[in-house]
Amino acid sequence: MHGNPGRDAMALLEVSNLSKAFGGLMAVSGLTFSVEQGQLVSIIGPNGAGKTTLFNLLTGIYRPSTGSIVFDGVDITGCKPYQSARHGIGRTFQRTMVFQAETVLDNVTIGQSLHVKTGVWAAIARTRGARREEEKVREKARAILAFVGLADAGERPAGNLTEEAQKRLSIAMVLATDPKLLLLDEPTGGVNLEEIGGLIELVKKVQRSGIAVCLIEHKMRMVMSMSDRIIVLNYGTNIAEGTPAEVASNKEVIKAYLGARRVA
Amino acid sequence: MKIFSPVRIGWSLALILAILLPLVLGEYLTSILLLIAIWSIMAVSLNLLYGYTGQLSLGHSAFLGIGAYALGLIAVKLHIGFWPAFFASTAISGLAGFLIGIPALKLRGPYFVLVTLGFAAIVGVIVLAWVDFTGGANGLAGMPRPNPIPLPWGAELRFDSLRSMYYFTLFFLVLIAAICHRLVHSLIGRTFLAISHDENLAESLGINTMQKKLISFTISAMFSGVAGALYASYNVVISPDLAYFARGMDVLACLIVGGAGTMAGPIVGTFVMTAIPEGLQIVPYLKTLINGIILLLFIIFLPAGITGGFKAFFYRWGHAWKSGKGRNGIA
Amino acid sequence: MLLASGLTIIFGILNVPNFAQGHLYMVAAYLGFYMVMSYATNYWLALVLATFALGILGLIVYFLVFYPIRNAPEVNLFVAAMALLMILEGGALYLFGTETKWFLIPWSRRVLTLGELSLQVQRLIVIAGTVVVMMALWVFIKKTALGAALEATAQHREGALLCGIKVSRISAMAFVVGTALAGIAGVLIGPAVLLMPTMGMGPLLVAFSAIIFGGLGSIAGAVLGALLLGVVESLASGYISATYSLIVVFGIMIVTLLFRPKGLLGREVWRP
């Protein structure tokens, strides 16, 4: 499942001719690509190329001007953010977003909300089913925290964590929604050099567990070493696409970057 | 929660006091307690929406009025007994909450606040203007007291006296507070809190924020309606100023001063803001003015309210939090 | 209409819906009333004085209330505005009582008739005054540096900061301008209507409706919205009744919010 865009298997995510206009400005135009099950696809490009806009389109925060998004066989074009999450697309934000005032464990508990079956009446009555579900949710939250390496931080307020730990937490929260595709928007942004390695390992771990990952990053070495495929955006369209090796030697890409940043 | 935690002890003591006080206090003071209980119910219901789900509604006076007038109109004009009318009025308030919530909750931030204010103003206007239906400025009289409830050993629970009405009201206060407590500590309650902290983040995690907000809003409206019906039953007479929007603001002031986002906050706040002015015999006209001043002072200097200040004081050594869970003081 | 522009300014820049604006207008009206009635001040002088007084009041309020809590969660600002409203309303009720007062000036009774239409002179003055103020406002915003700064901050706060614009000073100014506008409105409209402590609420709701209908952040939008809604309100008052006309106006606002939150000329939908 690495590398070859399997033409026999249906892609997990298929984007066709996607575009988004804000007034007169075309943030994204004519974007077409696909992501296979379990792949790690990196999206790179200069600032303002439309990468975060793409994520916003995929998760329903923006409504596309044209084009379609098909996820796992279902057309989800134009659905609302919570619906895209329910279909299995999870997403983290460039600016780390966690619930600062809640404990770490509660953050992950909240992340599971979309799976909670207990209704209002049952919650008020505290039926056995309600209590059992609460326990189940807490167990799963602890498991996820262990997975991302935050096992002992459970009771601390999320606002007290370091930047790197908060990024792990936001990944944990999204994992709690049981996504099939994870969109990570600069997961290593603002993190110390020593800590980046740990986050990279985590992302690889997520991919190994069968979840496809779509990564927005600027750190070239990281992108080159991790990705199955890379998509390069500039001015809202994809100017190149392929394996790391193909992209690295692509003249258009080099021109767009004018000396690609080779950090980390 | 441990069996003998300080919080539980505090609540039990408060409950015991609430039950015993009327037996020793005179009529006047008991009536004050009764009013405090009624407004507390409304404050608790507002707390669910504001303290725990983060939506500031200036319009709950509408539901207060709807609850009161629904009870009155159904009981008086349709000649139905108290109990069916009471349940009907509760249902109607909830329905009103649902219907108003649907458009209002599509908005965020100041728009939502404004629209709820608008609804309150409009309901107030309707109540005043629809003279045939509501009696206009003269109000409605003849609100029923609850019918006697037969007890298994042949006696009856009668509601003619002030004290009995007080216990009746207290019963509902405890019931509603308990329901809110359960709700807030459940998994759904976590969702409410998430929405109050960061609605966008909650939505990105798959939470149908509109639905959850609507649930919170409807329940909150329903309970405010109960408060209205109870007031009507106690006071026997109701007038349009019950639905005047400033009343909603008064209750909000009680809530915030007491500490939104905590279970004790609304009750403490209502108690303080009602008992003290009564004690000082302040003219009613000044009430809104003083409430406003107190609220302003609190929101600038102690946004977490009395209970928030308490918590910060006692738990200073523990966490880096500025105050308890709730809307204010978040890092 | 004046109220609407004042609101737009304050709201657009500070993202604070100044609920108290309506009541500020009420304060101005009363101020003017007392000045003219009790102290026999010239009407026009009273107008100027009241405007100044309200501007200063706005400044005080800004520094005492909104500036200290500017970094608090947004709701706190709403609550503060609400508290202000309560204070003003309670204070007015206490000081002025509940009976209505007539704000009389030399030409109050005079009515101008143009064929079928008969208009109170005062209403004409209101319209004329509004036009004058609107034009002055437009000139100010479009032509002066200060006005440009105001508009810039309204549209993009951080961008303005980066350009070296002193946002806090601008905010304060915005607030003052907004309240001063309320002052003008109060003294202009006061003589045309009954004075009551609760007179601020109706115009406030209409003003907000106008802003939303016309679109946020755009003064032109506020003006347009106010114009259109004003017409609607008059028609409704004529055909139905005055009280229900408020409901009609409000209904329009709700419909707008539900189906076209941007309004007619506004910019971004509210998504904090």
Side-chain angles (χ1 to χ4, degrees), chain B residues 8-323:
Chain B
R8 280 223 177 157
I9 295 182
W11 280 109
S12 315
L13 271 174
L15 188 60
I16 294 178
L17 262 179
I19 295 180
L20 293 181
L21 272 178
L23 299 175
V24 296
L25 295 175
E27 285 262 320
Y28 174 64
L29 288 177
T30 307
S31 71
I32 304 283
L33 278 181
L34 196 154
L35 282 174
I36 292 181
I38 291 182
W39 297 125
S40 294
I41 292 181
M42 186 163 167
V44 168
S45 72
L46 255 177
N47 194 22
L48 183 66
L49 183 64
Y50 173 62
Y52 289 104
T53 321
Q55 311 295 313
L56 179 64
S57 163
L58 289 185
H60 267 55
S61 56
F63 304 120
L64 188 74
I66 289 179
Y69 272 90
L71 178 74
L73 290 168
I74 294 181
V76 171
K77 303 233 165 146
L78 297 182
H79 301 290
I80 299 183
F82 175 83
W83 294 105
F86 184 66
F87 286 119
S89 94
T90 307
I92 291 179
S93 316
L95 183 64
F98 185 73
L99 291 175
I100 292 181
I102 293 181
L105 288 168
K106 289 200 178 180
L107 311 165
R108 308 226 183 152
Y111 292 99
F112 173 74
V113 183
L114 183 63
V115 168
T116 56
L117 179 61
F119 270 119
I122 290 202
V123 168
V125 162
I126 292 181
V127 165
L128 195 56
W130 206 353
V131 185
D132 312 322
F133 198 47
T134 63
N138 297 324
L140 282 179
M143 298 294 122
R145 285 291 175 84
N147 299 335
I149 304 176
L151 290 174
W153 54 88
E156 262 192 338
L157 208 56
R158 301 191 69 90
F159 292 100
D160 306 321
S161 70
L162 177 65
R163 262 196 217 150
S164 59
M165 277 310 288
Y166 170 76
Y167 287 119
F168 188 56
T169 309
L170 187 64
F171 168 72
F172 276 102
L173 176 58
V174 172
L175 180 66
I176 287 179
I179 291 180
C180 287
H181 174 90
R182 283 273 177 87
L183 204 53
V184 162
H185 285 93
S186 71
L187 290 173
I188 292 194
R190 297 256 151 257
T191 316
F192 288 166
L193 277 168
I195 295 178
S196 81
H197 293 315
D198 192 333
E199 196 167 340
N200 288 329
L201 180 57
E203 213 182 351
S204 79
L205 290 174
I207 297 175
N208 186 347
T209 52
M210 179 67 191
Q211 178 200 58
K212 296 293 187 293
K213 287 193 292 186
L214 197 57
I215 293 177
S216 179
F217 195 85
T218 306
I219 295 182
S220 154
M222 195 168 71
F223 289 158
S224 287
V226 169
L230 286 172
Y231 182 84
S233 181
Y234 155 67
N235 212 34
V236 186
V237 172
I238 52 177
S239 60
D241 64 271
L242 202 60
Y244 189 55
F245 66 86
R247 217 175 261 277
M249 294 184 186
D250 282 338
V251 177
L252 256 177
C254 294
L255 172 62
I256 294 178
V257 166
T262 66
M263 285 312 297
I267 300 181
V268 167
T270 311
F271 185 82
V272 167
M273 301 272 276
T274 311
I276 297 185
E278 283 298 326
L280 299 178
Q281 291 294 319
I282 296 182
V283 180
Y285 281 156
L286 276 186
K287 186 156 176 269
T288 309
L289 172 63
I290 294 187
N291 284 350
I293 295 180
I294 296 180
L295 179 62
L296 198 59
L297 288 173
F298 264 85
I299 200 73
I300 296 180
F301 297 113
L302 192 63
I306 296 178
T307 55
F310 238 60
K311 280 193 187 180
F313 189 68
F314 280 112
Y315 296 119
R316 221 173 359 177
W317 68 85
H319 307 283
W321 299 11
K322 288 209 190 98
S323 72

Side-chain angles (χ1 to χ4, degrees), chain C residues 193-261:
Chain C
V193 301
L194 290 172
L195 288 189
M196 280 195 309
T198 54
M199 66 193 285
M201 213 54 202
L204 175 72
L205 287 178
V206 176
F208 257 116
S209 304
I211 292 186
I212 287 169
F213 182 57
L216 240 230
S218 130
I219 299 199
V223 171
L224 186 61
L227 263 168
L228 288 173
L229 277 184
V231 169
V232 169
E233 189 190 3
S234 314
L235 285 175
S237 295
Y239 284 120
I240 322 179
S241 86
T243 23
Y244 286 115
S245 74
L246 181 65
I247 299 184
V248 170
V249 168
F250 190 71
I252 293 184
M253 176 177 93
I254 296 187
V255 167
T256 313
L257 282 172
L258 285 179
F259 296 113
R260 200 185 150 75

